[in-house]
Amino acid sequence: MITALKRIVEEFVQQQELERALTDVVSQVKEAMSTECCSLYLADHEQQHFLLMATDGLSSHAVGEVVIGFNQGLVGLVGQREEPVNVANAQAHPRFLKTPQVQEDNFNSFLGTPIIHQRKVLGVMSVQQTNTRVFGEDEVAFLVTLAAQLASAIANVGIQKITRKSANKPSNDLSKKQIEGVPGSAGIAIATAYVLEPEITFNSILPRREANSPKELIKFQQAIKNTRNQLGELAARMNTLLPSEVSAIFDVYNHLLSDASLGIQVNEHINAGWNAATSLKFVIENTIREFSEVDDDYIRERVTDIRDIGQRVLVNLMQKDIAKRVMPEQFVLVADEVTASMLAELPRENIKGICSRRGSSSSHASILASALGIPAVMGLNDLPINSIDGHSIVLDGYSGHIYINADESIKREYKRLQTEELELNDLVQALADKKAVTIDGTPVALHINTGLVTDFDIIHGLDIDGIGLYRTEIPFMIRQRFPTESEQVELYKSVLQSYPDKPVCMRTLDVGGDKPLPYFPLEEDNPFLGWRGIRMTLDHPEIQLVQMRAMLRANIETNNLNILLPMITSISEVEESIRLLNQAYAELTEELKIDIPWPKLGVMLEVPAAIYQIEKLASLIDYFSIGTNDLTQYLLAVDRNNARVANLYDYYHPGVLQALQFTINECNKHKIPVTICGEMAGEAIGIILLLAMGCTRFSMSAQNLLKAKWILRHISLQDAHELLAEISVMSCPKMIREVMIDKLEQIGLGGFIRAGK
Ligand code: PEP
Ligand code: MG
């Protein structure tokens, strides 16, 4: 049964037209379960009913016509209960709804299961039979498993469109589409989509029609010719090594490329109106499927050859399209996964916004986008990457929505909000040289986070209290090898000298998680729980020592270095780091024959275990920095980079807030300075609550600093305490957020949490 299940799901996902996919699926299920009828209904939540979308067994005239209310019939019951309903005699069931149009008089037994995606019932799938019997456990399990797997594919198509009978449009139709993701970086962008390095695989090809078949046929022939030439060169090179095997393999390849084999089928699809890449995709995927099912080892082994040859032809087909592309002057960067290093390398001034299919609000790409002041939306699972290039995008980094080819009215509204944002920015600019102090006179120290940004243009001229977090990762990530000690010295010097009379907290290398080093690849199942930050550098003292030496050397003139250790979990990690720091210090004093300044040493509180060891840690170091990004992910067991659980990642979860209150109290009790350097500190709600908890030092991106100053200058400590008391009794993060948003709107600070002023 597992093979049937796999095949049904694969074919469903690959089918280019949804109506056809649904029709195929019901027939396949009917056959696989040896039953007499299978039907599929989709939910229309606005209309509160299910619409019959496909059936093999009921009257075909009922398809697209028959609707069943959410609280009607057995189908409605499945939806209401959100679990399978299995009845031997449906006609006798009190919820049976007689619907003459479907002609189901012969059927007695009924098994229905809901199709649920992210807690929402999208539809119901049912099987029916003449004889009166309860379906067996295996049958129920089969239908439930299948429905669960179909759910995300159905959700991706945009169910509302389908139930409103607009399903006859191809699924890659981009006319006026709105897609929901998660907010990555605040702000609004309106520009053309530019897809970076689209991945050329068959999975990434969305079926597309092309009326000009002769042109597509020529394109395909050219791709075949290029592939043959490349294979010829490859064969010549390998022939000297393995003559007989090579000629056998290349014979197979050449045969596959010939008109008599795959070529003819591709030509048929092209002549039927599909473009060359789509036609090739159909043929290769079908052939792989057919070959995989054949009970013959030789044939099954050919699957690898077909996949390989298909991939080669596809790359040749698409190469020209990719080479032709020029980077527009202004664009919204689109990628499957926008990474921090990608952003660090692209010209800042061209990027107006960022759309990433993967990642979440606390991914390092989001943090970097926010540091650069580029609005971003992450976790756009439904983003049609391969067909979006060149289309217009309106991006709302506050709500996490994007609009593709939006109506003029939407564009007009967002342009208005953009103008208001600029006005708000001008307003806060006026505070550049003012102090951060609350209405009732509490002074607050504001530092900046930097390092992910490759230049210091943004921060120059800002009146700040220091650099609270300099992330040293990026210089490591954008190179092809570890930077040398002298390269690091130069870099760190420029950072320390940018604020020579202010403290600069330089964090030792925190790679791993979502910041891999290209030249030090790691394959881990759970990278955020893996070999990250201090764990990696302590295992490689040669890396840690060089970095510490470089920091110490860079600090000789300015003496403003504060070293910060990331991902500390155990006391021994700090002791070992101190040992390495002593060693680096001793080596340098001996080599340079001068007294060099001893730096301050701090620890990031971002692993929950560390917050219970503050007393002991405080006796070893000089200061703490709370990393709310990681502390939240580890307290809630929610991957900060995973869009699927992005709605569970929340600093305002009562558990996180209590842990923060405890941490701040502990630091204050042991009289050791504490700064908050996670993104929460740069959020309007976050800074108010953290201030009320007793923290008066914050570090944030330069883009957020003036906004934070404005907020602090418009709120009293008394107000902050009252708000914290009000939300402290609440158990729902969403409610906490709503109360805070209301309050901010009331005191005129709404512009800091949503689009507009
Ligand atoms: C944090 O975890 O809050 C933090 C500031 O570090 P990073 O985001 O670089 O992990
Ligand atoms: Mg961290």
Side-chain angles (χ1 to χ4, degrees):
M1 223 116 184
I2 181 91
T3 333
L5 200 123
K6 247 179 97 186
R7 181 173 43 84
I8 296 174
V9 175
E10 271 175 24
E11 287 184 20
F12 183 84
V13 174
Q14 282 163 12
Q15 183 53 259
Q16 50 272 27
E17 283 163 16
L18 187 82
E19 277 180 342
R20 174 82 192 278
L22 296 176
T23 312
D24 287 353
V25 95
V26 290
S27 298
Q28 287 166 322
V29 173
K30 180 179 141 181
E31 194 191 318
M33 292 182 69
S34 307
T35 178
E36 290 158 54
C37 173
C38 174
S39 312
L40 199 145
Y41 301 80
L42 289 185
D44 185 331
H45 285 267
E46 250 174 53
Q47 306 286 325
Q48 293 280 295
H49 65 215
F50 291 102
L51 174 67
L52 178 66
M53 293 299 298
T55 183
D56 188 343
L58 300 180
S59 164
S60 58
H61 299 297
V63 171
E65 298 296 331
V66 163
V67 293
I68 299 177
F70 276 178
N71 50 12
Q72 286 184 314
L74 286 169
V75 168
L77 187 64
V78 174
Q80 277 173 324
R81 284 204 189 159
E82 300 185 344
E83 63 179 351
V85 171
N86 187 358
V87 285
N89 188 350
Q91 314 261 355
H93 194 281
R95 279 291 292 259
F96 181 74
L97 177 73
K98 192 153 180 63
T99 319
Q101 249 176 310
V102 299
Q103 297 171 7
E104 61 181 339
D105 293 350
N106 294 338
F107 299 130
N108 287 305
S109 47
F110 170 96
L111 167 64
T113 192
I115 301 169
I116 301 182
H117 180 69
Q118 292 180 346
R119 301 187 185 183
K120 192 170 174 188
V121 177
L122 302 183
V124 170
M125 194 169 209
S126 69
V127 287
Q128 290 169 273
Q129 229 168 355
T130 323
N131 56 351
T132 311
R133 67 160 185 122
V134 172
F135 283 86
E137 275 186 14
D138 281 356
E139 292 168 305
V140 177
F142 177 83
L143 205 62
V144 169
T145 315
L146 182 69
Q149 294 201 26
L150 295 183
S152 62
I154 291 176
N156 284 348
V157 183
I159 193 159
Q160 189 124 358
K161 263 189 165 177
I162 313 161
T163 49
R164 298 286 150 77
K165 293 190 184 174
S166 47
N168 49 352
K169 284 186 189 167
S171 58
N172 61 336
D173 172 30
L174 287 178
S175 56
K176 303 193 180 103
K177 200 171 170 139
Q178 181 188 341
I179 308 181
E180 209 176 312
V182 290
S185 161
I188 294 159
I190 307 171
T192 307
Y194 177 65
V195 181
L196 197 69
E197 293 168 11
E199 198 194 2
I200 314 174
T201 66
F202 285 112
N203 281 344
S204 61
I205 301 288
L206 279 182
R208 267 192 177 177
R209 291 197 165 272
E210 172 56 64
N212 190 347
S213 304
K215 190 187 95 197
E216 294 300 296
L217 285 171
I218 293 171
K219 251 174 93 176
F220 179 61
Q221 285 317 322
Q222 191 56 47
I224 293 276
K225 199 170 145 201
N226 293 347
T227 312
R228 275 189 200 282
N229 291 343
Q230 289 157 357
L231 285 174
E233 285 167 23
L234 202 62
R237 255 183 284 140
M238 290 172 72
N239 227 356
T240 49
L241 303 170
L242 298 160
S244 57
E245 287 89 341
V246 169
S247 60
I249 295 169
F250 287 97
D251 280 354
V252 174
Y253 275 26
N254 272 321
H255 172 70
L256 288 172
L257 287 173
S258 70
D259 271 355
S261 184
L262 301 176
I264 192 160
Q265 299 176 45
V266 177
N267 290 348
E268 274 169 22
H269 279 88
I270 294 177
N271 285 326
W274 295 103
N275 74 5
T278 307
S279 305
L280 182 67
K281 170 188 166 83
F282 291 164
V283 172
I284 296 292
E285 288 178 346
N286 267 335
T287 316
I288 288 177
R289 210 166 24 250
E290 280 167 14
F291 278 33
S292 312
E293 283 167 10
V294 173
D295 195 14
D296 177 317
D297 285 351
Y298 176 80
I299 302 273
R300 267 204 312 274
E301 273 163 25
R302 296 286 72 75
V303 164
T304 318
D305 299 335
I306 293 166
R307 192 173 285 126
D308 186 33
I309 199 79
Q311 181 65 31
R312 285 170 189 274
V313 180
L314 183 69
V315 169
N316 279 319
L317 256 181
M318 307 293 286
Q319 210 87 66
K320 241 170 112 197
D321 294 351
I322 292 166
K324 263 196 319 218
R325 297 165 77 235
V326 272
M327 190 186 285
E329 279 216 349
Q330 299 199 330
F331 57 85
V332 170
L333 173 69
V334 177
D336 184 52
E337 180 160 25
V338 174
T339 59
S341 47
M342 211 182 248
L343 285 180
E345 282 168 354
L346 280 169
R348 158 71 189 94
E349 46 309 338
N350 295 25
I351 315 174
K352 294 290 135 203
I354 291 163
C355 290
S356 180
R357 191 139 68 173
R358 294 203 239 166
S360 183
S361 51
S362 298
S363 304
H364 282 93
S366 300
I367 296 174
L368 177 54
S370 150
L372 292 166
I374 306 174
V377 176
M378 314 293 284
L380 288 156
N381 289 324
D382 303 342
L383 195 66
I385 294 222
N386 290 287
S387 41
I388 203 175
D389 198 69
H391 288 263
S392 109
I393 292 198
V394 173
L395 177 156
D396 181 343
Y398 293 95
S399 69
H401 285 101
I402 67 159
Y403 303 83
I404 304 169
N405 299 325
D407 281 335
E408 266 318 301
S409 57
I410 293 183
K411 283 192 181 155
R412 238 190 339 267
E413 175 60 10
Y414 272 100
K415 278 190 185 137
R416 187 185 66 75
L417 293 170
Q418 237 177 358
T419 316
E420 285 193 9
E421 275 213 315
L422 290 176
E423 286 168 19
L424 193 67
N425 278 342
D426 286 349
L427 212 61
V428 299
Q429 281 304 328
L431 297 181
D433 56 353
K434 299 256 183 333
K435 288 284 160 214
V437 53
T438 62
I439 297 179
D440 45 0
T442 309
V444 178
L446 295 184
H447 299 240
I448 52 160
N449 292 349
T450 181
L452 291 179
V453 189
T454 42
D455 65 16
F456 276 75
D457 291 355
I458 302 175
I459 58 173
H460 273 141
L462 265 185
D463 177 21
I464 59 169
D465 295 295
I467 295 182
L469 171 64
Y470 172 67
R471 292 178 167 100
T472 55
E473 295 82 71
I474 284 285
F476 282 74
M477 286 164 73
I478 57 176
R479 284 187 165 74
Q480 299 306 313
R481 51 161 177 76
F482 284 105
T484 63
E485 185 173 320
S486 334
E487 282 170 341
Q488 291 187 54
V489 173
E490 284 317 302
L491 191 74
Y492 302 154
K493 237 190 208 170
S494 70
V495 180
L496 292 165
Q497 288 176 354
S498 66
Y499 285 96
D501 51 350
K502 306 267 165 73
V504 173
C505 300
M506 277 195 178
R507 192 172 68 181
T508 62
L509 196 58
D510 183 21
V511 289
D514 64 345
K515 291 177 292 186
L517 289 178
Y519 45 89
F520 204 60
L522 282 181
E523 274 298 325
E524 292 183 302
D525 286 342
N526 292 305
F528 276 111
L529 297 182
W531 205 45
R532 214 199 130 179
I534 200 79
R535 302 172 183 182
M536 187 275 221
T537 51
L538 287 183
D539 282 353
H540 279 279
E542 77 284 15
I543 298 171
Q544 182 81 324
L545 274 170
V546 168
Q547 186 171 41
M548 284 177 162
R549 283 172 54 102
M551 287 180 181
L552 292 173
R553 280 175 61 190
N555 186 40
I556 291 174
E557 280 168 39
T558 47
N559 189 12
N560 55 346
L561 171 67
N562 292 234
I563 294 180
L564 184 55
L565 306 171
M567 288 292 293
I568 292 294
T569 313
S570 305
I571 303 297
S572 60
E573 290 163 338
V574 180
E575 289 169 343
E576 182 60 8
S577 302
I578 294 173
R579 192 188 67 74
L580 289 174
L581 186 58
N582 275 314
Q583 183 180 332
Y585 185 86
E587 284 168 12
L588 281 177
T589 10
E590 197 181 309
E591 281 167 33
L592 303 174
K593 310 257 181 288
I594 51 164
D595 268 351
I596 54 170
W598 178 256
K600 286 200 169 127
L601 184 66
V603 154
M604 293 278 299
L605 294 172
E606 50 185 350
V607 175
I611 68 176
Y612 298 104
Q613 301 173 83
I614 287 175
E615 185 173 2
K616 176 72 185 153
L617 287 169
S619 67
L620 295 171
I621 50 136
D622 306 297
Y623 69 102
F624 286 116
S625 195
I626 306 179
T628 48
N629 305 337
D630 278 316
L631 191 58
T632 304
Q633 91 161 332
Y634 295 129
L635 280 169
L636 298 179
V638 175
D639 178 349
R640 64 193 264 190
N641 204 31
N642 182 345
R644 202 181 282 267
V645 285
N647 60 334
L648 300 177
Y649 181 96
D650 202 329
Y651 319 122
Y652 307 114
H653 186 291
V656 177
L657 293 177
Q658 281 194 40
L660 286 168
Q661 179 68 80
F662 169 81
T663 311
I664 294 168
N665 288 349
E666 281 293 286
C667 294
N668 290 344
K669 189 166 101 191
H670 296 289
K671 302 204 170 23
I672 185 151
V674 60
T675 307
I676 316 265
C677 68
E679 292 305 289
M680 184 180 180
E683 281 193 7
I685 299 175
I687 197 166
I688 293 172
L689 294 180
L690 293 165
L691 177 74
M693 288 179 193
C695 183
T696 50
R697 287 157 62 107
F698 302 97
S699 191
M700 61 200 66
S701 76
Q703 299 286 343
N704 284 335
L705 190 121
L706 290 179
K707 292 180 190 161
K709 217 183 247 189
W710 179 279
I711 291 161
L712 291 166
R713 292 175 64 90
H714 285 82
I715 193 152
S716 66
L717 189 58
Q718 172 74 15
D719 285 342
H721 279 143
E722 280 168 18
L723 268 166
L724 180 63
E726 192 178 339
I727 59 110
S728 293
V729 292
M730 295 178 179
S731 54
C732 166
K734 201 165 154 242
M735 213 134 88
I736 293 176
R737 208 177 271 269
E738 274 165 18
V739 167
M740 292 298 294
I741 289 172
D742 267 5
K743 181 68 186 179
L744 288 174
E745 291 285 2
Q746 272 170 35
I747 56 178
L749 298 174
F752 296 101
I753 41 170
R754 50 149 173 81
K757 216 156 80 166

